[in-house]
Amino acid sequence: EGANMGLAEKIQRRAKAISHKPELAGRIHLSSSGAQGEAFPDMDSFVGWASVYDSYIWLRKGLRFIADSIKFLPLMVVDAEGQEQPGHYISELFEYVNDTDNPVSLWEHYVIYKYLGGEFPLELVPDKRGIPVEVWARRPDRVLVVPDMAPERKLYPRIAGYRYEDDKDHLIPPELLWFDKFTHPTNPWRGLNVI
């Protein structure tokens, strides 16, 4: 029976592999359990997918294509009628970004972080008046969501703030961190990558 079971499994596996693409027989798909366990042990994390991004040219090319499609698009603020508001501080903020980054790099980060991590945290740094003067892309795996644990929020979850790299002394208020994410069906706080 053990020999028959082994033979049946082999036939079934081979039939699946060659059912519509015979040239793929014997190959292991990247997202199959064999590939996850052997090549990329931490596949369900941003770091795991970043290692896939580092290792596979097809993933880099795909994300590069998406990033190249948006990185030069101008960002402009418009009013309710769709008229551009020239000189608006948000437009100027995204033209400047910060002292070490530029708009093109920011949108490249947006695509890579969003597709590999399911999230794009963008911290807004205000001046003394509270007006944002810089924006900083943050790695999604290093941003911790701090839920509002007030009893009245139990049925209506809200975020109290964010911590970056487990910095317990610095809580980023929710209005100063734009946390764009793909919907996660089981976690209201985090995003789910599309890969």
Side-chain angles (χ1 to χ4, degrees):
E1 184 176 289
N4 288 341
M5 243 347 221
L7 179 60
E9 285 177 6
K10 285 179 186 176
I11 292 170
Q12 187 178 25
R13 238 185 268 144
R14 183 149 172 81
K16 279 184 181 176
I18 62 172
S19 62
H20 65 285
K21 297 238 183 228
E23 68 274 12
L24 298 180
R27 293 189 185 175
I28 297 175
H29 191 272
L30 176 63
S31 65
S32 70
S33 60
Q36 284 181 1
E38 295 162 16
F40 304 102
D42 199 17
M43 225 25 186
D44 287 334
S45 71
F46 177 75
V47 173
W49 282 111
S51 64
V52 173
Y53 179 81
D54 287 344
S55 301
Y56 287 91
I57 188 86
W58 58 265
L59 182 57
R60 281 197 307 278
K61 282 185 143 190
L63 293 184
R64 172 74 38 223
F65 178 79
I66 295 167
D68 287 347
S69 299
I70 69 164
K71 69 184 180 184
F72 293 113
L73 294 176
L75 178 79
M76 63 180 117
V77 176
V78 296
D79 62 16
E81 286 79 41
Q83 297 298 313
E84 182 181 356
Q85 302 296 301
H88 194 281
Y89 78 92
I90 294 291
S91 300
E92 292 175 0
L93 177 64
F94 280 91
E95 285 175 15
Y96 168 67
V97 181
N98 62 52
D99 63 347
T100 62
D101 235 338
N102 61 60
V104 170
S105 175
L106 179 73
W107 295 119
E108 288 174 342
H109 278 95
Y110 176 80
V111 169
I112 292 168
Y113 288 176
K114 188 96 182 269
Y115 279 77
L116 297 181
E119 306 164 343
F120 178 68
L122 184 69
E123 186 175 356
L124 306 170
V125 180
D127 62 11
K128 291 179 182 178
R129 298 168 296 165
I131 297 173
V133 292
E134 290 186 340
V135 291
W136 290 85
R138 300 298 186 196
R139 271 183 49 176
D141 62 323
R142 293 191 174 164
V143 173
L144 304 173
V145 178
V146 180
D148 185 344
M149 300 305 285
E152 62 271 13
R153 299 298 330 158
K154 183 176 181 182
L155 296 176
Y156 308 100
R158 191 166 283 167
I159 293 171
Y162 301 91
R163 294 200 193 286
Y164 188 64
E165 295 188 323
D166 203 19
D167 181 359
K168 296 189 183 354
D169 299 325
H170 180 63
L171 182 71
I172 303 167
E175 63 272 11
L176 291 181
L177 195 124
W178 177 45
F179 197 75
D180 188 28
K181 62 183 175 23
F182 288 121
T183 301
H184 194 303
T186 61
N187 188 338
W189 310 114
R190 302 308 305 221
L192 183 65
N193 72 44
V194 296
I195 299 175

